[in-house]
Amino acid sequence: MQDPFTFTPPHPIEERPEETVQQPKAEPHPGQQDKYFWAIYLMLVVISIIELYSASSREVVAGNVYLPIIRHSVMLAAGFVIIFLLSRIPYQKLIKFIPIFVVASIVMMIYVLVAGDIINGARRSFSFAGIAIQPSEFLKLSAVLVIALVMSRTQLGKNEELRTRGVKIVAAMVLLMGGLLFTQGLTNTILLMAISFSMMIVGGIQIKKLIAVLIVYGVVAGSAFLLKEYNADMRVGRQSTWTERMNRYSDSIPKYEQPIIAENRQEMYAYMAQANGGIFGVMPGNSRETSRLPLAFSDYIYSIVVEDLGLAGGLFLLGIYLSLLAHAGHVASQCRRALPAMLVIGCALMVTYQALFHMAIVTGVFPVSGQPLPLISKGGSSILITSIAFGIMLSVSRFAVQNDKRQDIKDEMNSLPEEMRAENATRL
């Protein structure tokens, strides 16, 4: 008996071989360059050139007082080229390079741990083409890119099981990279955890899962720190240095009553520089402490900024970094897809959090630890990675669809791999 729901045509239809029609790949439509991102970048570059010149008295070479600032300007120029080129490349085309970048970062970090140059008692970098490469900076950006990819994949279809798996993968990758960074200090590990946790919040992860991740982070970081702290083998860790720093940080004796010794001279001269700056500063070039403060041009440059420009200038610089995060949040909230939203907010979180950590360390809110101020401190790797982050943010702001035009939305979706077409859960 014939199934009543089966349709039989009156005349047989001749079967033809299926024709494969090659659909043209959608090309993203570029928008205008984001003037806000460019304005923030240019303000940071101007402040960087002025303040690094003011903070580089220890590096001045006889007969050429401009050599340190020339070197720094060359790195900034190279960073500008990177930003300009990345801003013109659709973010969709950068996806295939992310795994290569992540693997290269991990390999470089492992190499440094084995055969890197020892700086301040730890293996931190290696030289390439005359430039000191610090893989720790590359790992921070790698973590952001990995999280963005995983979160965009696991949000497709709003499958909770898939999201749970994504959270586990993200946490595992962060712990892996954080473990590599921990060999150089606890600050970078905490920074990495803070970035990943914030990106999970933006990605709409459930509160109970966020709490579970936070507990895991806390237990692992605490256990690793205690292991290093009480490790008897002094060749493995820097527990003696960390112990001294933590003891000084928790010391109840006011700073102004403590003597300046070799172990605390960095933070003491940094505090003196900030106190000398007052409200409006002594103006660039008139710093009193730059000649005495070790690493004034890198790990402690914010203290020179406050001395030169005062509390007002220090707060202004803080406001620039916070405005970067605020604008990135606005761009992310307008993106139609999850991937560009996670990329732009992740890069902004990396730059802003690193700036906040640097400022907190220099002002005594956090214990002493080396952390460059993005685009301001001297350092090739830091400038390179910050420039890549700005380039990615500009690419997203230019090529990610932020309107309601159906054709643009369809073209962007078709330009992405099928597993990365999840809608942006945070879109306003």
Side-chain angles (χ1 to χ4, degrees):
M1 181 177 180
Q2 185 178 1
D3 189 342
F5 295 100
T6 302
F7 171 72
T8 303
H11 302 286
I13 299 176
E14 181 181 357
E15 293 186 1
R16 297 179 180 178
E18 294 185 1
E19 296 182 1
T20 303
V21 179
Q22 184 69 28
Q23 296 292 337
K25 189 173 182 179
E27 289 293 333
H29 303 289
Q32 294 183 347
Q33 293 278 2
D34 193 304
K35 297 179 180 179
Y36 204 100
F37 280 138
W38 275 115
I40 292 173
Y41 167 74
L42 292 175
M43 282 192 289
L44 290 176
V45 167
V46 171
I47 295 173
S48 175
I49 294 174
I50 294 173
E51 290 306 317
L52 191 86
Y53 178 71
S54 179
S56 296
S57 62
R58 278 175 166 258
E59 288 201 313
V60 169
V61 179
N64 192 350
V65 297
Y66 300 107
L67 187 58
I69 195 62
I70 291 174
R71 291 174 177 171
H72 185 65
S73 298
V74 169
M75 289 304 306
L76 289 174
F80 174 81
V81 173
I82 292 172
I83 294 175
F84 180 77
L85 293 177
L86 287 178
S87 69
R88 302 178 69 85
I89 300 175
Y91 75 91
Q92 297 93 328
K93 295 185 178 181
L94 300 176
I95 296 174
K96 59 184 177 182
F97 297 104
I98 291 179
I100 300 174
F101 185 87
V102 173
V103 172
S105 300
I106 295 176
V107 170
M108 286 192 299
M109 191 67 196
I110 295 174
Y111 171 78
V112 163
L113 296 180
V114 175
D117 300 329
I118 298 178
I119 302 175
N120 294 332
R123 297 189 184 275
R124 299 178 182 275
S125 64
F126 66 92
S127 297
F128 179 77
I131 301 175
I133 303 296
Q134 290 190 325
S136 58
E137 299 298 320
F138 288 78
L139 272 185
K140 296 171 190 175
L141 182 58
S142 294
V144 168
L145 300 178
V146 166
I147 295 170
L149 285 183
V150 173
M151 296 291 288
S152 63
R153 285 173 179 266
T154 57
Q155 289 190 12
L156 191 63
K158 298 181 179 181
N159 187 324
E160 284 303 322
E161 182 180 352
L162 197 60
R163 289 193 177 191
T164 301
R165 187 187 311 164
V167 171
K168 293 178 180 179
I169 295 174
V170 167
M173 290 298 298
V174 169
L175 292 176
L176 169 63
M177 295 180 181
L180 294 173
L181 290 173
F182 191 77
T183 59
Q184 298 182 351
L186 183 61
T187 308
N188 279 328
T189 303
I190 296 176
L191 175 60
L192 204 62
M193 291 178 176
I195 294 171
S196 64
F197 190 76
S198 299
M199 290 182 71
M200 289 183 196
I201 294 176
V202 174
I205 300 301
Q206 292 179 340
I207 294 179
K208 62 180 182 181
K209 296 176 184 176
L210 291 173
I211 295 175
V213 170
L214 189 61
I215 293 174
V216 171
Y217 282 179
V219 171
V220 172
S223 301
F225 178 79
L226 291 176
L227 180 63
K228 283 289 186 182
E229 188 74 16
Y230 296 104
N231 194 326
D233 188 356
M234 299 298 291
R235 295 171 299 176
V236 176
R238 303 177 63 221
Q239 64 274 12
S240 59
T241 303
W242 297 345
T243 301
E244 291 173 0
R245 290 176 175 178
M246 292 302 297
N247 289 339
R248 292 198 303 270
Y249 176 73
S250 59
D251 198 337
S252 59
I253 301 176
K255 297 296 182 183
Y256 57 84
E257 294 183 4
Q258 297 180 16
I260 299 178
I261 57 178
E263 288 75 15
N264 70 354
R265 62 176 181 156
Q266 285 184 320
E267 56 258 49
M268 296 299 284
Y269 287 137
Y271 301 149
M272 292 168 68
Q274 295 168 68
N276 187 45
I279 302 298
F280 299 106
V282 297
M283 296 293 105
N286 297 320
S287 170
R288 183 187 68 191
E289 303 300 332
T290 181
S291 60
R292 298 194 296 177
L293 175 60
L295 301 178
F297 49 82
S298 56
D299 291 349
Y300 282 88
I301 197 169
Y302 186 67
S303 61
I304 304 302
V305 172
V306 175
E307 185 180 18
D308 285 350
L309 306 177
L311 176 64
L315 292 176
F316 177 75
L317 182 57
L318 172 62
I320 292 177
Y321 286 110
L322 293 178
S323 65
L324 169 66
L325 182 58
H327 184 63
H330 171 73
V331 173
S333 68
Q334 300 298 316
C335 291
R336 303 290 308 196
R337 301 294 155 194
L339 178 59
M342 297 304 296
L343 284 173
V344 70
I345 198 65
C347 289
L349 282 168
M350 183 194 72
V351 175
T352 305
Y353 277 10
Q354 184 160 324
L356 293 178
F357 272 54
H358 174 97
M359 295 175 183
I361 291 167
V362 170
T363 56
V365 177
F366 286 176
V368 174
S369 181
Q371 198 66 234
L373 187 59
L375 282 182
I376 307 294
S377 295
K378 175 189 174 184
S381 297
S382 178
I383 291 176
L384 174 64
I385 293 302
T386 306
S387 299
I388 294 175
F390 265 92
I392 292 174
M393 288 187 285
L394 282 163
S395 174
V396 168
S397 65
R398 189 180 186 194
F399 291 98
V401 173
Q402 302 175 40
N403 57 50
D404 295 321
K405 296 181 180 179
R406 292 185 177 181
Q407 188 60 45
D408 289 347
I409 296 172
K410 182 179 178 180
D411 289 344
E412 182 184 32
M413 184 180 68
N414 292 333
S415 68
L416 288 169
E418 187 174 350
E419 69 274 11
M420 295 183 185
R421 297 178 180 178
E423 294 185 0
N424 179 16
T426 62
R427 188 171 186 271
L428 298 180

